[in-house]
């Protein structure tokens, strides 16, 4: 095994098992671009501040760019035995440039280096995930627009409760996802400060220019405290929180789709390309995608607990425990991306079976509140109207009828306030059409919220563009 870069004070080579145990290149290798980007900014600053010569700075930058191109093209493979991506790039630079390469790490530590790499890396991932969520939101709004008149039962306790429309139901998820998008932007806003130049923990005696590196790397400003800069991983936790919530929303949506494509509901039919079969039961068409999303939500939540638990007892500043941050947050990111990438086209190709939604809404007394409200509008106090309607529902159940088919005589036995217009008042279409309250399911109210959601989406897209 080659000498470690820090071999100076050691009299033995590091044990093979320790080396393998310690090494993070298997998972931090994915940050090579960001590592090189950070090093280029650092080398530029070192040259501009006269800490190294301009010539050395330019040579280092040239060497780093070549390494980047070579890794990108596959010409240079990451060495699985390297301690981490930072050591690998620096060692490769020195291999190529000799002594000049050894000047890159002046006034820097791997502690600020890894912190800057991770922030740069996560910034790109947040942007990518946000774009995927934007596409998902647009997809859902597109479907909602086609279903502002599609009546379905709304549920509480998974019992039919009151009539809504499919558009109304879908838009509930749109608002959740808009908040997820907003949260991702917030995480980015707080994360986008530069730890480069914090050194190992206590800054440096060189006359560095941290403002310059922060600016070169597109950060809002340098971090104010060098200990904080290398110690905290709150941005990983915050991002994982935002991802856990996003997954929670996708998981609830998935659970509903699983129910909806069961024979018991049959509100939707998944496209064959987004469903799977059984190895034994020839009739089966399984919603594996949605089940996996539901399952992976647990995994992403697990990553969050890993991060929180890993951080809770650490003294300042850097501790090796923190190397564990990457596998957790990368796992959360990878799985969220997989889920959104699969969920969006699955939704876009899903067939909505309007008749079944409507039939389900037509049974189960979901107009009972409207029947009570009918009496209230004729002057009866709500509690009395509620009781009478409850009695009528019980009567319908015992006679095998619904409120729509119960004869007027039976209604009038309860109170003379009932007349012929009760049937119109409790018809499914009236029940939906009249729910015009702000945020409610009437086609008119849903049209307003679709327009508002589109405005909100545009605002979040332009905020993202400016970030
Ligand atoms: N691979 C390390 C990590 O991910 C880089 C920082 C190492 N710093 C140190 N003082 N050993 O955390």
């Amino acid at each position: 095994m080659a000498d470690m870069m820090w071999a100076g004070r050691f009299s033995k080579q590091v044990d093979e098992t320790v080396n393998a145990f310690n090494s993070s290149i298997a998972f931090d290798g994915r940050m090579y671009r960001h590592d090189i980007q950070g090093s280029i900014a650092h080398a530029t600053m070192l040259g501009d501040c006269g800490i190294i010569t301009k010539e050395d700075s330019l040579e280092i930058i040239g060497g780093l760019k070549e390494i980047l191109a070579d890794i990108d093209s596959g010409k240079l493979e990451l060495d699985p035995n390297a301690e981490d991506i930072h050591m690998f790039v620096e060692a490769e630079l020195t291999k190529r440039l000799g002594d000049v390469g050894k000047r890159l790490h002046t006034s820097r530590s791997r502690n600020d280096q890894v912190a800057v790499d991770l922030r740069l890396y996560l910034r790109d991932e947040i942007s990518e995930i946000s774009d995927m969520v934007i596409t998902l939101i647009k997809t859902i709004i597109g479907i909602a627009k086609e279903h502002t008149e599609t009546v379905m039962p709304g549920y509480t306790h998974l019992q039919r409760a009151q009539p809504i429309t499919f558009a109304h139901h879908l838009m509930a998820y749109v608002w959740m996802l808009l908040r997820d998008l907003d949260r991702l932007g917030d995480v980015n806003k707080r994360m986008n400060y530069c730890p480069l130049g914090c050194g190992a923990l206590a800054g440096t005696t060189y006359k560095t220019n941290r403002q310059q590196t922060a600016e070169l790397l597109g950060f809002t400003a340098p971090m104010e405290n060098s200990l904080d800069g290398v110690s905290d991983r709150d941005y990983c936790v915050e991002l994982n929180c935002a991802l856990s919530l996003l997954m929670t929303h996708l998981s609830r949506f998935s659970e509903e789709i699983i129910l909806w494509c069961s024979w018991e509901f049959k509100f939707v039919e998944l496209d064959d390309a987004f469903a799977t079969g059984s190895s034994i039961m020839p009739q089966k068409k399984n919603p594996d995608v949605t089940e996996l999303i539901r399952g992976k939500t647990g995994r992403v939540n697990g990553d969050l607990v890993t991060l929180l638990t890993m951080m809770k007892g650490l003294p300042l500043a850097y501790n090796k425990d923190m190397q564990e941050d990457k596998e957790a947050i990368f796992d959360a990111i990878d799985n969220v991306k997989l889920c959104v990438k699969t969920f969006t086209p699955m939704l876009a190709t899903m067939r909505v079976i309007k008749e079944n939604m409507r039939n389900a809404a037509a049974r189960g007394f979901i107009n009972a509140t409207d029947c009570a409200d009918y009496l209230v509008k004729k002057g009866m106090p709500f509690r009395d109207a509620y009781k009478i309607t409850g009695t009528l529902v019980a009567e319908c159940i015992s006679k095998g009828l619904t409120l729509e088919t119960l004869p007027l005589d039976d209604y009038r036995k309860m109170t003379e306030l009932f007349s012929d217009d009760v049937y119109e008042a409790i018809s499914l279409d009236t029940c939906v059409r009249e729910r015009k309250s702000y945020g409610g399911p009437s086609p008119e109210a849903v049209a307003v919220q679709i327009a508002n959601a589109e405005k909100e989406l545009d605002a979040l897209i332009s905020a993202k563009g400016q970030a």
Side-chain angles (χ1 to χ4, degrees):
M1 189 190 302
D3 268 353
M4 287 309 200
M5 261 180 209
W6 34 256
R9 67 102 67 214
F10 291 83
S11 53
K12 280 184 180 172
Q13 296 264 348
V14 68
D15 184 271
E16 289 271 355
T17 52
V18 172
N19 191 50
F21 185 60
N22 205 31
S23 170
S24 55
I25 194 157
F27 48 88
D28 65 22
R30 65 161 83 189
M31 301 194 303
Y32 73 88
R33 276 196 201 93
H34 306 88
D35 188 73
I36 292 173
Q37 189 188 357
S39 289
I40 289 176
H42 183 65
T44 307
M45 183 278 293
L46 290 179
D48 286 355
C49 293
I51 298 167
I52 61 173
T53 65
K54 272 269 189 240
E55 299 74 60
D56 285 352
S57 162
L58 289 175
E59 207 181 322
I60 289 172
I61 293 167
L64 287 168
K65 286 185 176 163
E66 273 171 28
I67 293 174
L68 177 61
D70 289 350
I71 303 177
D72 273 344
S73 70
K75 206 166 127 191
L76 175 62
E77 275 177 29
L78 304 187
D79 173 6
N81 293 314
E83 192 176 333
D84 54 31
I85 188 61
H86 326 294
M87 291 301 211
F88 172 78
V89 172
E90 195 188 328
E92 182 63 27
L93 188 73
T94 304
K95 201 154 93 191
R96 293 182 182 202
L97 305 184
D99 282 352
V100 176
K102 296 184 195 160
R103 295 191 188 279
L104 170 64
H105 210 54
T106 315
S107 91
R108 183 178 75 168
S109 153
R110 267 187 302 159
N111 297 351
D112 56 343
Q113 193 178 352
V114 71
V116 81
D117 289 8
L118 193 52
R119 283 170 192 253
L120 290 171
Y121 180 84
L122 295 181
R123 192 168 73 188
D124 282 352
E125 291 287 9
I126 289 175
S127 172
E128 214 178 295
I129 294 172
S130 298
D131 285 340
M132 296 171 87
V133 174
I134 289 167
T135 307
L136 173 58
I137 292 173
K138 286 182 177 167
T139 303
I140 304 175
I141 292 179
I143 305 171
K145 283 180 173 169
E146 289 168 24
H147 291 284
T148 55
E149 311 267 351
T150 305
V151 176
M152 71 179 281
Y155 297 83
T156 61
H157 313 268
L158 200 58
Q159 301 287 320
R160 290 172 191 159
Q162 290 178 340
I164 56 169
T165 65
F166 190 47
H168 188 234
H169 198 108
L170 290 175
M171 288 306 294
Y173 284 110
V174 164
W175 291 105
M176 295 178 214
L177 292 168
L178 282 168
R179 288 193 296 277
D180 289 325
L181 190 56
D182 196 18
R183 256 187 290 274
L184 287 170
D186 273 350
V187 174
N188 193 47
K189 200 172 76 198
R190 268 185 294 283
M191 182 180 74
N192 201 32
Y193 288 84
C194 189
L196 190 57
C198 290
L201 74 162
T204 175
T205 53
Y206 294 97
K207 295 215 161 14
T208 52
N209 183 350
R210 292 195 54 215
Q211 276 71 18
Q212 185 190 2
T213 41
E215 208 172 297
L216 284 173
L217 294 169
F219 287 110
T220 308
M223 291 186 72
E224 294 289 338
N225 181 301
S226 65
L227 281 174
D228 178 39
V230 294
S231 290
D232 207 359
R233 293 293 184 268
D234 56 353
Y235 50 97
C236 295
V237 173
E238 257 197 270
L239 175 56
N240 208 145
C241 267
L243 296 178
S244 282
L245 280 167
L246 169 58
M247 286 300 292
T248 301
H249 294 147
L250 292 185
S251 182
R252 293 185 74 179
F253 203 165
S254 293
E255 165 63 13
E256 296 203 306
I257 292 170
I258 292 164
L259 288 171
W260 293 343
C261 58
S262 72
W263 282 106
E264 282 68 14
F265 280 78
K266 263 294 166 251
F267 287 0
V268 299
E269 172 93 33
L270 295 178
D271 190 87
D272 278 0
F274 288 91
T276 47
S278 152
S279 62
I280 172 171
M281 296 167 281
Q283 85 284 11
K284 290 297 285 293
K285 180 170 173 182
N286 295 330
D288 285 26
V289 168
T290 40
E291 291 170 73
L292 264 178
I293 291 174
R294 199 174 53 184
K296 281 176 183 291
T297 303
R299 177 171 172 165
V300 173
N301 291 348
D303 294 325
L304 175 60
V305 175
T306 298
L307 288 170
L308 286 168
T309 313
M310 182 265 286
M311 290 304 291
K312 73 179 262 298
L314 297 186
L316 303 189
Y318 178 84
N319 300 269
K320 190 75 172 202
D321 316 42
M322 285 150 74
Q323 180 165 286
E324 293 289 314
D325 59 1
K326 283 170 280 301
E327 275 173 298
I329 194 64
F330 293 167
D331 183 74
I333 287 169
D334 292 349
N335 281 288
V336 165
K337 282 163 77 177
L338 275 175
C339 289
V340 183
K341 194 172 138 196
T342 320
F343 189 73
T344 304
M346 185 208 67
L347 211 57
T349 54
M350 182 177 81
R351 190 165 67 86
V352 178
I353 310 173
K354 294 186 197 181
E355 320 78 74
N356 291 351
M357 288 187 174
R358 197 184 167 89
N359 287 341
R363 293 191 293 270
F365 303 100
I366 67 174
N367 49 3
T369 317
D370 302 84
C371 180
D373 288 341
Y374 168 91
L375 293 175
V376 170
K377 282 170 193 161
K378 299 221 165 178
M380 186 179 280
F382 179 75
R383 274 289 157 240
D384 297 336
Y386 173 95
K387 197 163 177 191
I388 287 177
T389 307
T391 313
L392 287 170
V393 167
E395 194 178 330
C396 287
I397 292 171
S398 72
K399 291 182 173 167
L401 296 172
T402 63
L403 288 172
E404 289 94 326
T405 54
L406 185 73
L408 187 58
D409 279 352
D410 292 315
Y411 274 104
R412 289 180 64 87
K413 261 182 241 155
M414 297 301 301
T415 163
E416 298 279 298
L417 289 176
F418 279 121
S419 61
D420 235 0
D421 58 354
V422 66
Y423 297 105
E424 168 62 15
I426 61 162
S427 89
L428 212 46
D429 291 310
T430 313
C431 295
V432 174
R433 193 178 356 100
E434 292 307 312
R435 289 193 143 70
K436 293 181 190 147
S437 55
Y438 194 80
S442 79
E444 195 178 321
V446 170
V448 171
Q449 65 163 299
I450 290 178
N452 287 343
E454 284 181 323
K455 253 185 256 158
E456 173 76 8
L457 181 61
D458 284 345
L460 290 170
I461 292 172
S462 72
K464 177 178 183 288
Q466 280 149 25

